[in-house]
Structures are given as C-alpha cells and as structure tokens.
Amino acid sequence: RPHRVPVGDSVEVECCLTNVSARTSPLLAAHDPIRPEIRLLVGPLAPGTEARTSYQMRTDRRGVFELGTLEVELRDPFGLAATTSRVGDNVTLTVLPRVEAIAPPPRSAAGAAPGGAVRPPFAGQSGDSFYALREYAPGDDLRRVHWASTARRDQLMIRQEDHPVQERTIVVLDLAAGSAEAFEAAVSAAASVLIAAGGALVRLVDTAGHDSRFGTGSAHAAALLDRLAAEQPSPETRAAQGAKAAMPDPPLPDRFAQPLALLGTAPGGGTVVVVTSTDLGRTHVRQLLGLTPRFSVMVLNVRRGQEVARDRAGPI
C-alpha cells in the first residue's frame, strides 16, 4: 500500500501466511525476491492459523514491478537439507517518475477552439466576445441577429461568438538514452511539463510510436504518469548515434520520423516540447525547431542540464 507512488516514497508491504494443512507447520524463513535483504522468520503455526507481519520498502527506481511472491525456505532440524518454494499472488507496484514544480510552458500565439480549429491570435479571450458575422441559417437563434449589418445588407446577419481557447501542449519524449541517469532526468522532465500544463489539453508522444492523444483532467494526467513509469530506453546504441553525429550535415535521427508524422496530422496551435537526453547537435535542434510552422517549439536537452533552444516566434 499504496499501489502507485512517486519515486522516493515508501510503501508498506503486508505479508500473511496461513497454515492450510492438518499438521503444525515447521519453522520457516521467507524473503522478498525484490528485496532479498528483508528476511522473515515464521514460527510453527497450528492448523488453520495465520501469521501477519509488515515492513516498509522505499522506492528508489521508477518502473512497474511485480511484488507479492515470497520465497519460503524449509530446512530440516539438523540443517542437512532444504527446499524452497514461491507462495502468494503477484501485486503490481507502479513507481511514478519524479515531478518537479515548474512553470507551465509558454502560451502559444494561437490556441485551438474546442472543435480543434486554430483560432486567430487577435480573437478575444472570452466566450462572449464578438468574432465574426455570417448569413442567417435556419435554426439560428434570432437573438444573435446583428441588426445594423442586416439593415445595411438587407439580409439577416448573425453574430458568431468566439469560443474560449484551450491551450494545447504536446510532449515528445526521445527514448534514446544518453546515459541511464540522463534518461531518468528526461522522463522526469517530461512528467513535469505535462503536469505543469495540466490546465491545457496535453498529449504525450514518444519515439517508439506511443501516442496518448489529447486529453485533460486528473484521470488523463494519471494515465500519462503511468505510461511514463513504464517507459524504457530504446536499444539504439551510442555507436550508431556517434556515426550519425560524425556526418558533415547529419539528418534528423530516424526515431523522430513517427512522432513528427503524428504531429503532421495534429490540429495546429499550441506548444510542442521535445525532451531528449542525447547530445543532439545544433543541426538537429534547428531541424526540430523548424518541424512545423503550426506550433511553438521548445527543445529540452537534459544531458546538458539546460534548455538548448526555443522558437519564440509562435505558430503562423
């Protein structure tokens, strides 16, 4: 308890052993395969009785782990023979990435209306602000008639109100790892950006092809953190990265092809944050910043411990 914790927190593990035989059980030794240093000694149990104990376990690694199966060892009184068996059911423990308190990503010059259409940057921020005029269509609310324009054009004209903007934030996580420590920092950075942008529509895309789609709210945020808890580095080798980096004008690594294709079909407007732990060259950074004119783009390289570059122009 609990089943989902941030990395660094502790969980309580409770063990219950029941003697289901018709005889008194012998002295048993049990340990958790995940934490072998934790050993439990269980005295003889009468038939049908149980023994309970619990211990604290600190989570020092992000990931999804199977707990609950104990290794129970039985020895004869003289210590000449021993047998080991596994007992108990597995329980899934999800250790979430560390989330730092950061400012949300900068707002883009244009967001997106709830229907997905890009809204011009000069449109008002209120749902009651005036947006445009259009001709009357059957079923329109007559209270929206703009009488001055109707008199000038001799045709019913309707005020079309502006829709409130929903900011869109897309995080692209590069699964190629510069190092184990840098990759964990990249996952933490991706989680922090997604949570900081919680008031917007957020979407997680990784270089393995996973796409969470846009969503908002606590349930969507929890699903994104669960996904980040399970992320693993891609098998791309440093040698392959070094070979590409040695080229005079290296192309963008192939692993970015799929997420960029997904962004090509996404509604425009919003901010794209690319998080990587590899040492991308300046050419690659420029290519990422220019991946599409429809988004504001930010590249975070946690290997260098700082933001490498940002497109401040916003979407066109």
Side-chain angles (χ1 to χ4, degrees):
R1 290 185 295 266
H3 291 275
R4 297 173 72 253
V5 294
V7 64
D9 281 13
S10 296
V11 296
E12 181 183 20
V13 181
E14 183 181 44
C15 303
C16 175
L17 280 80
T18 304
N19 182 7
V20 297
S21 73
R23 295 181 299 175
T24 299
S25 65
L27 179 67
L28 300 174
H31 72 270
D32 189 333
I34 301 295
R35 300 295 296 270
E37 70 275 12
I38 299 177
R39 298 186 63 83
L40 308 173
L41 290 177
V42 184
L45 296 176
T49 61
E50 63 181 30
R52 289 179 177 270
T53 188
S54 63
Y55 56 90
Q56 295 289 323
M57 185 170 66
R58 184 174 176 83
T59 58
D60 53 4
R61 289 189 297 126
R62 173 191 60 85
V64 180
F65 306 97
E66 294 294 329
L67 304 179
T69 301
L70 289 178
E71 284 191 356
V72 177
E73 183 182 79
L74 170 63
R75 290 183 176 273
D76 74 290
F78 301 101
L80 299 177
T83 181
T84 302
S85 60
R86 287 178 175 257
V87 298
D89 298 325
N90 286 334
V91 176
T92 300
L93 172 64
T94 302
V95 182
L96 306 175
R98 192 183 308 278
V99 176
E100 305 290 349
I102 62 173
R107 291 173 62 91
S108 60
V118 177
R119 195 190 67 167
F122 53 77
Q125 296 298 319
S126 168
D128 296 326
S129 60
F130 180 77
Y131 182 36
L133 289 173
R134 60 175 176 81
E135 296 181 0
Y136 171 82
D140 282 338
D141 187 352
L142 293 178
R143 291 174 296 180
R144 298 291 187 184
V145 173
H146 193 267
W147 294 109
S149 298
T150 297
R152 286 196 302 268
R153 301 190 184 190
D154 196 24
Q155 184 176 7
L156 282 177
M157 301 298 294
I158 299 295
R159 298 191 310 270
Q160 181 170 314
E161 309 299 338
D162 184 22
H163 296 286
V165 156
Q166 286 182 287
E167 280 296 306
R168 294 174 180 265
T169 299
I170 304 173
V171 173
V172 178
L173 177 61
D174 182 7
L175 297 184
S179 68
E181 294 79 11
F183 181 75
E184 291 304 315
V187 174
S188 176
S192 301
V193 172
L194 289 168
I195 297 302
L201 288 169
V202 292
R203 180 179 185 180
L204 173 65
V205 178
D206 64 31
T207 52
H210 171 77
D211 181 9
S212 72
R213 307 292 182 182
F214 280 113
T216 188
S218 57
H220 185 64
L224 295 181
L225 290 179
D226 285 347
R227 175 66 195 188
L228 288 173
E231 291 283 27
Q232 296 297 321
S234 67
E236 182 171 343
T237 63
R238 292 189 186 182
Q241 295 179 33
K244 293 180 181 179
M247 298 172 61
D249 190 14
L252 198 63
D254 295 339
R255 62 181 183 274
F256 286 102
Q258 194 164 5
L260 295 188
L262 291 173
L263 294 181
T265 60
T271 302
V272 175
V273 181
V274 181
V275 183
T276 180
S277 64
T278 61
D279 192 13
L280 292 176
R282 293 186 177 274
T283 300
H284 291 158
V285 171
R286 287 195 298 268
Q287 290 172 329
L288 287 172
L289 292 179
L291 61 91
T292 173
R294 300 182 301 129
F295 301 95
S296 292
V297 182
M298 178 185 296
V299 176
L300 297 177
N301 190 328
V302 298
R303 183 177 184 274
R304 299 180 180 180
Q306 61 185 2
E307 179 182 305
V308 174
R310 177 192 296 180
D311 170 19
R312 300 179 184 274
I316 299 175

